[in-house]
């Protein structure tokens, strides 16, 4: 996943400033990649563009690429293109599930350099889990051949609703003991202690949000309304509109697993009748156990589906129909161009069930231009999304100015 597809960006000319950060944004987005194009886009003089680019070159954030085509019919030297130099720093990313986690070192352009996955149980609590993640990151940096000082930020995906302003999870049904905990501070300290690193910014978001962000940027950059539904231990959705994650007022958008569907099944949130209580990977696993088939979690259901177990396939299809019924409302409300199914149950049986009810219940106009697909990036989607979130945050125009000043350039 390279570059920055899916960013809509704002008009730099409209700001009347053309700061170094805004010039960098034009280069990163591909809207202006030569000095002349930057002058035209911003209305700045040649000398001012040169001065602001010089700051970016001294910071190591820009480099000159190959010459572009000659613009004049009279010939002459081709204009040198400008490129974002993604080699000056790296990003750490982790995807935390209920009983498993995955961590990685990524370049600023989304190339995966080193990766580790293993058992981490969220019920062990944030102090222990985040401490362990800090150790994973330290080991991965050594494996990737990078120094702790080269890390510019950490992105973390968690299986619960997140207040993006504070980075704290809010009443997470599947994360007991995490409500309101300072995840950012603890993970930054854990990494610093294990790697001997300076403090770095930590960004936290819901796993379905970051999966949607990673998948949309990688495979559907031109889709202006993108929805991903993750069906694993629980059920959640991520929504990307015009290249940005839609989170709602306080991070609760997309929590479709707790929509009531008219059953009396008890959900982990304490309510009855939630979609997740009857159609998640955990719910399917419980029904398999009742039928005498060992299955402790959604990942066990995934393994049974991969092995062609007929009972698991039948239950997955039924779960897909229940989710599809809810998604008919989601599709009618949001009118997305892509609806992506991801997670442990994202196979043929579940997808068939989703399509059966979705197309039956949704208005034809809502589905006329809708592609219903399965995930492309697989288990790494949230890692890519978390890495991209950090990069977009740190290299946003307003933060570029702050960071350049801190570097003294």
């Amino acid at each position: 996943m390279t570059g920055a597809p899916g960013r809509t960006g704002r008009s730099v000319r409209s700001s009347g400033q053309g700061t170094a950060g805004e010039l960098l944004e034009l280069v990163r987005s591909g809207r202006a990649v030569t000095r002349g194009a930057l002058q035209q886009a911003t209305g700045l003089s040649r000398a001012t563009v040169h001065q602001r680019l010089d700051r970016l070159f001294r910071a190591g954030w820009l480099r000159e690429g190959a010459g572009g085509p000659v613009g004049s019919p009279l010939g002459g030297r081709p204009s040198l293109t400008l490129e974002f130099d993604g080699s000056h720093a790296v990003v750490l990313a982790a995807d935390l599930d209920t009983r498993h986690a995955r961590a990685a070192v990524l370049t600023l352009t989304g190339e995966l350099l080193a990766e580790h996955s293993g058992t981490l149980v969220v019920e062990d609590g944030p102090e222990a889990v985040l401490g362990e993640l800090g150790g994973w990151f330290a080991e991965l940096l050594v494996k990737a051949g990078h120094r702790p000082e080269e890390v510019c930020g950490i992105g973390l995906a968690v299986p619960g609703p997140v207040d993006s302003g504070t980075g704290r999870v809010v009443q997470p049904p599947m994360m007991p003991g995490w409500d309101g905990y300072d995840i950012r501070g603890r993970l930054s300290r854990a990494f610093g202690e294990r790697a001997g690193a300076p403090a770095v910014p930590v960004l936290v978001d819901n796993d379905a949000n970051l999966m949607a962000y990673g998948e949309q940027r990688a495979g559907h950059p031109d889709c202006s309304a993108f929805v991903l539904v993750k069906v694993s231990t629980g059920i959640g959705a991520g929504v990307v509109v015009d290249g940005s994650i839609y989170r709602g007022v306080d991070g609760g958008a997309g929590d479709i697993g707790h929509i009531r569907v008219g059953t009396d099944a008890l959900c982990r949130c304490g309510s009855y009748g939630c979609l997740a209580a009857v159609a998640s990977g955990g719910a399917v696993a419980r029904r398999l156990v009742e039928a005498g088939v060992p299955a402790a979690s959604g990942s066990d259901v995934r393994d049974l589906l991969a092995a062609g177990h007929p009972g698991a396939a039948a239950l997955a299809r039924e779960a897909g129909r229940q989710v599809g019924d809810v998604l008919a409302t989601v599709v009618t409300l949001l009118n997305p161009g892509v609806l992506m199914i991801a997670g442990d149950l994202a196979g043929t049986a579940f997808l068939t069930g989703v399509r059966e009810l979705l197309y039956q219940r949704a208005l034809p106009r809502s589905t006329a231009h809708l592609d219903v697909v399965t995930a492309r990036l697989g288990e790494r989607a949230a890692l890519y999304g978390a890495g991209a979130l950090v990069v977009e945050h740190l290299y946003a125009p307003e933060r570029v100015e702050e960071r350049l000043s801190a570097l003294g350039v």
Side-chain angles (χ1 to χ4, degrees):
M1 187 181 70
T2 60
R7 282 205 310 270
T8 55
R10 69 175 189 270
S11 170
V12 172
R13 180 184 290 276
S14 67
S15 74
Q17 298 177 16
T19 64
E22 290 170 331
L23 266 60
L24 181 65
E25 174 70 9
L26 285 169
V27 173
R28 291 185 63 234
S29 67
R31 287 178 288 153
V33 296
T34 66
R35 289 169 173 80
L38 289 170
Q39 287 179 242
Q40 186 175 13
T42 61
L44 298 174
S45 69
R46 180 177 180 179
T48 301
V49 167
H50 175 80
Q51 182 268 331
R52 290 177 181 169
L53 288 179
D54 181 60
R55 298 178 69 199
L56 297 170
F57 278 113
R58 283 188 285 143
W61 296 358
L62 274 189
R63 65 187 175 199
E64 290 185 335
V70 176
S72 169
L74 300 177
R77 291 188 301 172
S79 300
L80 289 173
T81 59
L82 302 169
E83 299 174 350
F84 179 61
D85 188 346
S87 66
H88 69 271
V90 293
V91 175
L92 300 175
D95 178 18
L96 183 62
D97 209 334
T98 54
R99 304 190 63 83
H100 182 270
R102 185 177 298 269
V105 181
L106 300 162
T107 68
L108 298 183
T109 52
E111 179 187 354
L112 194 147
L113 300 176
E115 182 181 17
H116 174 75
S117 62
T119 299
L120 271 184
V121 181
V122 293
E123 291 185 353
D124 289 343
E127 190 74 18
V129 170
L130 297 175
E132 186 70 13
L133 269 182
W136 286 14
F137 284 146
E139 293 171 5
L140 281 169
L141 274 177
V142 174
K143 183 178 179 182
H146 283 271
R147 303 185 312 276
E149 296 78 16
E150 295 178 83
V151 176
C152 65
I154 299 172
L156 176 65
V158 297
V162 177
D163 182 334
S164 61
T166 65
R168 299 172 187 246
V169 291
V170 182
Q171 299 178 358
M174 295 188 295
M175 302 177 71
W178 291 68
D179 186 25
Y181 185 83
D182 182 17
I183 296 175
R184 290 175 175 174
R186 172 59 179 143
L187 186 53
S188 181
R189 290 193 303 274
F191 170 61
E193 291 165 1
R194 298 296 291 271
V200 295
V202 176
L203 273 67
V204 186
D205 211 327
N206 172 261
D207 54 359
N209 283 348
L210 293 179
M211 290 175 70
Y213 197 45
E215 292 279 6
Q216 188 268 342
R217 290 166 60 89
H220 306 273
D222 297 323
C223 180
S224 60
F226 178 95
V227 176
L228 178 144
V229 178
K230 179 187 178 184
V231 187
S232 291
T233 303
I235 300 176
V239 180
V240 179
V241 177
D242 290 335
S244 299
I245 298 171
Y246 178 75
R247 299 181 177 89
V249 173
D250 60 4
D255 203 3
I256 65 170
H258 300 287
I259 291 175
R260 305 293 175 82
V261 292
T263 75
D264 59 359
L266 177 63
C267 182
R268 292 183 64 166
C269 72
S271 297
Y272 290 87
C274 294
L275 179 64
V278 295
S280 65
V284 172
R286 287 191 295 273
R287 294 190 63 183
L288 284 168
V289 170
E290 291 169 1
V293 180
S297 65
S299 60
D300 290 336
V301 177
R302 178 191 61 205
D303 294 341
L304 289 167
L305 291 171
H309 190 283
L315 289 174
R317 182 169 178 172
E318 181 182 341
R321 288 171 59 85
Q322 292 167 313
V323 173
D325 197 10
V326 170
L327 289 179
T329 300
V330 173
V331 165
T332 301
L333 177 66
L334 297 178
N335 189 209
V338 175
L339 172 62
M340 178 173 284
I341 307 299
D344 292 331
L345 265 60
T348 301
F350 185 86
L351 194 63
T352 298
V354 167
R355 285 175 167 152
E356 285 175 357
L357 262 290
L358 173 63
Y359 288 105
Q360 177 183 326
R361 300 289 171 85
L363 292 172
R365 189 192 181 288
S366 301
T367 58
H369 303 288
L370 176 68
D371 289 330
V372 182
V373 300
T374 52
R376 170 182 173 181
L377 298 177
E379 295 181 343
R380 295 189 175 111
L383 290 180
Y384 288 122
L389 186 73
V390 172
V391 173
E392 294 306 317
H393 174 80
L394 292 179
Y395 293 90
E398 61 275 16
R399 292 183 188 87
V400 164
E401 293 303 312
E402 298 172 6
R403 296 177 65 210
L404 288 176
S405 296
L407 289 171
V409 298

